[in-house]
C-alpha cells in the first residue's frame, strides 16, 4: 500500500512509520517538524526507497492537496497534533489551530481526493484518525473503563480540541461518506518520546540528579501502553477495521503516576546507579497540581480484541525497562531537545 502518515516525525508516528516500512509499504510522512517532531527521528528512514518526506502544515490546504495528488495514497493515517496538556493550558490557540482546523483541512482535501478515485480504489481507501482517551474526561476510582460508547467529557483545551477533531471525522463519514476509522488510545511510552512527557521527564530528571516532579499526591491513574503495541494496533485496524467504527487501544496496565515513577526510579537504580549511592526515589518531589487535572483514565479494548484479535504484547515492567535503557543509550537524541542548561 501507499500510506500517507501525518505527524510521522512525532513519537507514535515515527514508530508507526518504521512498522509500515518494515511491512513493505510505501510511506509518505507529512510533518510540520515542530519541537516534538524533530527530523532526526526520521534519520533511519531517509535512505529507504519506499520512504518519502514532505515538510508541511496540515492546515495548509494546497500542500495537503499536492501531497495527495502526487503520492496517490491508498490510505491516510492522521497523527499530526499538538498533544501536551500543560502547553494547552498555557496557550490553547495552537491546539485549536492544528487539532481542529488542521483536521478539518485534511478531511476536506481527503474527501475531494477520495471522490476522484475509481470505485475499486474507493472501496479500499481509509482515513484513520488517531485520538486519545482524554476526550472522555475523568473516571471515578471504582468506575468501569471507558468503552467506545462512553460520552465525551473533555476537561482540558487539549482534550477538547481532540474531541472536536473526533466529531469532525465522524461527521465527514456520516455526511459525506468518507471511509474513516477512529482510534482512542491510552497513555503511550517508549523510545523517541519528547522529554516533556511523564516517563522521559522522570528518566531524565533522575539521570541529571534533579528533582523528579509529581503533580499533587501522584494518585492520578492512567492506563499505559507501549508505543510499539499501539503502532501494531493501528496497522491492524487500518487493514481489518470496519469503516465508520471507533476502536479503543489500551495497554491493560493501569497505574498511579507516583507508582509508575517509583518503578522508573528502581529500574534506574539497577541500570544507572547514583554515583553517590542511594536511590533515585529520594529525588521524587511533589509539586502543585495542574489546573483541571483528570484523576483517572482506563480503556476497555474488548471490541478490538473481539473483532480483530489484538492484545498488547508488552508487559509494563519489561517495556519500561527497555524504554529506560533506550534513553540511557541515546543521549544525542534527547539532548538536542532539552533547554541548553539541561542538555549536558
Amino acid at each position: 500500500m501507499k500510506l500517507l502518515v501525518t505527524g510521522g516525525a512525532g513519537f507514535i508516528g515515527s514508530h508507526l512509520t518504521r512498522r509500515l516500512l518494515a511491512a513493505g509499504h510505501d510511506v509518505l510522512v507529512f510533518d510540520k517538524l515542530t519541537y516534538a517532531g524533530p527530523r532526526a527521528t526520521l534519520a533511519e528512514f531517509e535512505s529507504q526507497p519506499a520512504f518519502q518526506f514532505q515538510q508541511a502544515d496540515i492546515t495548509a490546504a494546497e500542500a495537503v492537496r499536492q501531497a495527495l495528488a502526487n503520492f496517490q495514497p491508498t490510505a491516510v493515517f492522521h497523527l499530526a497534533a499538538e498533544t501536551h496538556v500543560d502547553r494547552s493550558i498555557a496557550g490553547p490557540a495552537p491546539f485549536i489551530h492544528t487539532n481542529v482546523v488542521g483536521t478539518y483541512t485534511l478531511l476536506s482535501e481527503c474527501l475531494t481526493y477520495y471522490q476522484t478515485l475509481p470505485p475499486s480504489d474507493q472501496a479500499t481507501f481509509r482515513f484513520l484518525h488517531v485520538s486519545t482517551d482524554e476526550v472522555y474526561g475523568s473516571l471515578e476510582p471504582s468506575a468501569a473503563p471507558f468503552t467506545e460508547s462512553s460520552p465525551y467529557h473533555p476537561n482540558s483545551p487539549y482534550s477538547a480540541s481532540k474531541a472536536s477533531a473526533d466529531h469532525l471525522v465522524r461527521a465527514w463519514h456520516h455526511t459525506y461518506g468518507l471511509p474513516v476509522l477512529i482510534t482512542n488510545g491510552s497513555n503511550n511510552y517508549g523510545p523517541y518520546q519528547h522529554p516533556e512527557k511523564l516517563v522521559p521527564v522522570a528518566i531524565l530528571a533522575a539521570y541529571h540528579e534533579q528533582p523528579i516532579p509529581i503533580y499533587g499526591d501522584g494518585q492520578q491513574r492512567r492506563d499505559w501502553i507501549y508505543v510499539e503495541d499501539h503502532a501494531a494496533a493501528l496497522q491492524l485496524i487500518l487493514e481489518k477495521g470496519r469503516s465508520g467504527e471507533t476502536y479503543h487501544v489500551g495497554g491493560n496496565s493501569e497505574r498511579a503516576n507516583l507508582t509508575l515513577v517509583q518503578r522508573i526510579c528502581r529500574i534506574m537504580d539497577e541500570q544507572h546507579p547514583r554515583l553517590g549511592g542511594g536511590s533515585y526515589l529520594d529525588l521524587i518531589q511533589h509539586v502543585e497540581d495542574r489546573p483541571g487535572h483528570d484523576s483517572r483514565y482506563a480503556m476497555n479494548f474488548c471490541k478490538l480484541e473481539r473483532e480483530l484479535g489484538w492484545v498488547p504484547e508488552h508487559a509494563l515492567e519489561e517495556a519500561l525497562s527497555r524504554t529506560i535503557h533506550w534513553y540511557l543509550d541515546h543521549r544525542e537524541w534527547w539532548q538536542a531537545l532539552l533547554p541548553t542548561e539541561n542538555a549536558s
Side-chain angles (χ1 to χ4, degrees):
M1 291 189 286
K2 300 181 71 176
L3 304 171
L4 190 155
V5 181
T6 74
F11 171 44
I12 302 171
S14 63
H15 283 272
L16 176 62
T17 297
R18 182 179 299 105
R19 185 176 188 88
L20 297 175
L21 288 169
H25 301 301
D26 291 340
V27 178
L28 169 62
V29 166
F30 187 100
D31 199 295
K32 185 181 177 180
L33 295 183
T34 66
Y35 76 96
R39 185 68 182 263
T41 305
L42 302 173
E44 66 181 276
F45 314 133
E46 301 284 1
S47 62
Q48 298 188 36
F51 173 77
Q52 298 180 45
F53 174 75
Q54 180 174 341
Q55 183 174 356
D57 192 328
I58 58 170
T59 64
E62 181 59 30
V64 174
R65 191 175 309 130
Q66 289 179 357
L68 293 168
N70 294 336
F71 187 62
Q72 294 285 302
T74 311
V76 173
F77 285 97
H78 177 34
L79 294 91
E82 295 285 348
T83 65
H84 194 46
V85 175
D86 288 0
R87 287 179 182 262
S88 81
I89 294 170
F95 290 75
I96 305 303
H97 185 65
T98 296
N99 299 356
V100 182
V101 177
T103 299
Y104 158 73
T105 303
L106 196 61
L107 285 167
S108 297
E109 295 302 327
C110 283
L111 177 62
T112 300
Y113 167 75
Y114 169 76
Q115 291 171 336
T116 68
L117 295 175
S120 59
D121 291 342
Q122 286 187 346
T124 57
F125 182 83
R126 293 292 183 271
F127 180 102
L128 193 156
H129 170 65
V130 179
S131 189
T132 172
D133 54 5
E134 298 190 41
V135 298
Y136 299 115
S138 187
L139 274 173
E140 293 298 320
S142 60
F146 297 125
T147 69
E148 287 82 356
S149 60
S150 294
Y152 276 39
H153 197 268
N155 291 319
S156 71
Y158 161 62
S159 59
S161 70
K162 290 296 288 185
S164 300
D166 292 6
H167 292 320
L168 288 173
V169 173
R170 190 170 290 109
W172 255 247
H173 174 72
H174 287 284
T175 302
Y176 303 113
L178 185 68
V180 307
L181 297 154
I182 299 174
T183 65
N184 296 89
S186 298
N187 280 37
N188 281 242
Y189 67 98
Y192 293 106
Q193 190 170 31
H194 191 274
E196 70 186 0
K197 301 290 189 174
L198 177 60
V199 170
V201 160
I203 296 170
L204 301 186
Y207 178 85
H208 288 108
E209 297 272 347
Q210 295 174 348
I212 303 171
I214 293 288
Y215 280 131
D217 61 7
Q219 294 308 305
Q220 307 88 358
R221 298 184 66 84
R222 303 289 184 261
D223 177 32
W224 293 91
I225 182 170
Y226 189 53
V227 65
E228 291 184 9
D229 284 334
H230 193 176
L234 295 178
Q235 182 183 4
L236 180 64
I237 292 166
L238 179 80
E239 294 172 350
K240 297 184 178 180
R242 291 182 290 130
S243 176
E245 291 294 314
T246 295
Y247 295 92
H248 281 182
V249 185
N252 200 29
S253 297
E254 188 178 340
R255 301 287 191 280
N257 287 348
L258 179 58
T259 302
L260 181 76
V261 171
Q262 288 171 336
R263 185 58 194 146
I264 290 171
C265 289
R266 293 188 178 98
I267 297 172
M268 285 287 292
D269 287 340
E270 298 168 3
Q271 294 192 14
H272 188 74
R274 298 182 69 178
L275 292 176
S279 172
Y280 291 105
L281 291 165
D282 298 333
L283 297 176
I284 293 175
Q285 183 177 98
H286 293 267
V287 299
E288 182 180 356
D289 208 351
R290 73 183 179 206
H293 201 171
D294 290 336
S295 61
R296 178 177 174 238
Y297 308 134
M299 299 292 273
N300 179 322
F301 56 90
C302 290
K303 177 179 177 179
L304 181 56
E305 181 178 7
R306 181 179 65 253
E307 292 191 10
L308 305 185
W310 180 89
V311 291
E313 294 183 4
H314 296 85
L316 179 66
E317 298 291 320
E318 174 267 330
L320 199 57
S321 179
R322 181 187 300 188
T323 299
I324 291 169
H325 189 270
W326 185 90
Y327 277 92
L328 294 176
D329 272 2
H330 291 81
R331 287 179 52 186
E332 72 289 346
W333 183 84
W334 53 258
Q335 281 179 327
L337 305 180
L338 293 176
T340 305
E341 64 272 15
N342 296 325
S344 61

